[in-house]
Amino acid sequence: MKTIDELLADGVSGKRVFVRADLNVPLADGTITDDGRIRAVVPTIKALADAGAEVVVASHLGRPKGAPDPAFSLLPVAERLAELLGTPVAFAEDTVGHAAHAAVDGLEPGQVAVVENLRFNPGETSKDDTERGEFADRLAALADVYVGDGFGAVHRKHASVYDLPARLPHYAGYLIAREVGVLKKLTDDVRRPYVVVLGGAKVSDKLAVIDQLLGKADRLLIGGGMAYTFLKAQGHEVGISLLQEDQIPAVKEYMERAEKNGVELVLPVDVLVSPEFPDLKTKAPSQYTVVDADKIPADQEGLDIGPKTRELYASKLGDAETVFWNGPMGVFEHPDYAEGTKAVAQALVDSDGFTVVGGGDSAAAVRTLGFDENAFGHISTGGGASLEYLEGKTLPGLAALED
């Protein structure tokens, strides 16, 4: 795929450049709580603006129902982008209507505009090729050139991600180029030992990537809610812990394959349990105990890996040359259950290997728990996209950028 450097070399002064970013940031009462995805696309936008382009930035935010919804407006994002760029950013109150065309027509070389949430238009996410194509035509009328830099959306066959690049000269932005380069280090050019840490709530979300990793990784460390399905598959009581019983046969099969393939699959040896889920709003202290992973009481719920498991996982990461981590080890949003996730993050910081934090809740946890982002080899902006790439799937947004 062509990169933004090639576009800049050809010259963009006076050209309208459509940047498909991923500005899907978390909001609380209209306030951005994590601006990592905005900061990630700033280098691409700034490079284009500094070269004299008229930059039109577009993104989705949340899951509106194909119609305008003030709760999902990109206005706070545009305001934060202006702060990060140190220059005014125009904001259009629609995506392809009069406001968008007025904002774009008003741009001078080096200026930036953000159009409203792409998902306020049903054509953006439509499964009908014609409807999606018609929306892509309207987006194409806003620009001369397309730059794809929304890595967190490249696994979606959406109009601005998949259809629009076919209608304009297209290039990959700095963020996408970097994300793809990192993922190739996890698939094509792996330094060993290669250790993968998987957590999060549902084992069903990770089965496809586990299937692929059983032929690539040297060790798999399992935590989070998904660990309890593995423990149940071993015949252990898991109480009222998160459990996907329908996935137990698949988990048993993968455990057998791991042993056959010589992949070390490591499960928690102790966990923090409580009779009730903690209050994530007040963060009030929770009643919990530490028990061995095979001795979870029938009326209690596992909420984090225990101290022995933290030490075990840190030791399993100690000699790693490559690490990929996706998914927290527990309910990290509550201080009583953050230590497992914190221990994994610290082990990555202490590692001499190439460490990748796979976006989503893992990236949020790194920031929430106060870690220096520069202490990791790479923090991805797209957890879902990263997993699908590692699963071996063709990502529509990347395929569309290929010539």
Side-chain angles (χ1 to χ4, degrees):
M1 65 181 68
K2 293 181 180 178
T3 67
I4 187 175
D5 285 332
E6 295 173 80
L7 172 60
L8 294 171
D10 291 339
V12 293
S13 182
K15 291 184 179 180
R16 291 179 180 174
V17 181
F18 187 104
V19 177
R20 202 324 182 168
D22 176 13
L23 306 176
N24 186 27
V25 295
L27 294 171
D29 299 322
T31 300
I32 297 167
T33 58
D34 182 353
D35 68 354
R37 283 179 167 167
I38 306 175
R39 288 185 284 110
V41 78
V42 163
T44 290
I45 295 171
K46 191 174 187 308
L48 291 166
D50 288 349
E54 298 167 13
V55 186
V56 182
V57 182
S59 176
H60 70 287
L61 193 156
R63 296 180 181 274
K65 305 297 183 181
D69 183 339
F72 298 107
S73 174
L74 281 174
L75 179 58
V77 172
E79 293 172 343
R80 179 58 179 148
L81 180 60
E83 293 173 356
L84 292 169
L85 290 171
T87 186
V89 170
F91 178 70
E93 294 181 348
D94 60 32
T95 305
V96 291
H98 295 300
H101 282 276
V104 172
D105 290 343
L107 290 175
E108 298 289 337
Q111 294 183 338
V112 179
V114 172
V115 297
E116 188 54 286
N117 193 333
L118 290 161
R119 290 186 183 174
F120 286 180
N121 302 268
E124 169 67 2
T125 59
S126 176
K127 290 182 169 57
D128 182 86
D129 292 348
T130 300
E131 185 179 13
R132 221 175 45 246
E134 289 173 351
F135 183 54
D137 288 338
R138 297 183 71 187
L139 290 171
L142 296 173
D144 306 307
V145 181
Y146 177 92
V147 171
D149 216 27
F151 180 74
V154 294
H155 58 316
R156 306 297 187 192
K157 193 176 182 180
H158 291 170
S160 65
V161 176
Y162 179 75
D163 302 274
L164 182 55
R167 289 157 167 79
L168 295 171
H170 46 270
Y171 301 81
Y174 289 128
L175 176 60
I176 277 187
R178 185 178 180 212
E179 293 271 16
V180 172
V182 166
L183 288 168
K184 286 183 177 178
K185 289 185 179 181
L186 299 177
T187 53
D188 301 335
D189 186 24
V190 181
R191 291 186 298 162
R192 299 185 180 279
Y194 178 19
V195 183
V196 176
V197 187
L198 295 177
K202 295 181 178 180
V203 68
S204 57
D205 293 340
K206 304 292 197 302
L207 285 180
V209 75
I210 292 173
D211 183 56
Q212 288 293 314
L213 290 170
L214 287 177
K216 294 184 173 70
D218 298 300
R219 290 181 205 130
L220 289 177
L221 313 184
I222 306 295
M226 62 183 287
Y228 302 102
T229 301
F230 278 85
L231 292 171
K232 186 70 172 180
Q234 288 186 324
H236 302 313
E237 171 66 59
V238 297
I240 57 173
S241 305
L242 190 62
L243 174 65
Q244 289 185 285
E245 289 204 54
D246 62 321
Q247 302 298 328
I248 289 176
V251 166
K252 285 183 176 178
E253 179 191 343
Y254 286 167
M255 293 169 74
E256 292 170 0
R257 277 181 53 199
E259 184 175 2
K260 181 179 179 180
N261 293 353
V263 177
E264 188 179 4
L265 197 155
V266 189
L267 299 177
V269 294
D270 61 345
V271 296
L272 273 61
V273 298
S274 175
E276 58 183 10
F277 198 82
D279 189 324
L280 299 184
K281 289 187 177 180
T282 66
K283 309 291 175 72
S286 176
Q287 297 295 322
Y288 69 86
T289 54
V290 179
V291 299
D292 289 345
D294 60 354
K295 293 181 174 60
I296 297 174
D299 62 346
Q300 306 228 3
E301 177 177 12
L303 296 168
D304 193 15
I305 58 173
K308 293 179 183 176
T309 306
R310 294 174 218 152
E311 186 176 338
L312 172 65
Y313 284 13
S315 70
K316 296 295 182 181
L317 289 162
D319 66 344
E321 288 293 329
T322 304
V323 180
F324 175 73
W325 170 33
N326 181 279
M329 297 293 99
V331 187
F332 74 92
E333 298 92 343
H334 192 284
D336 289 344
Y337 307 107
E339 292 304 316
T341 301
K342 190 181 296 184
V344 168
Q346 187 62 54
L348 266 66
V349 169
D350 295 340
S351 172
D352 292 328
F354 178 61
T355 57
V356 179
V357 180
D361 286 341
S362 309
V366 162
R367 299 184 183 107
T368 300
L369 298 175
F371 286 90
D372 179 0
E373 294 180 43
N374 295 320
F376 302 88
H378 180 67
I379 298 179
S380 178
T381 57
S386 296
L387 287 176
E388 290 200 14
Y389 188 99
L390 293 180
E391 289 167 19
K393 291 183 178 179
T394 297
L395 307 188
L398 296 185
L401 293 175
E402 299 286 352
D403 290 321

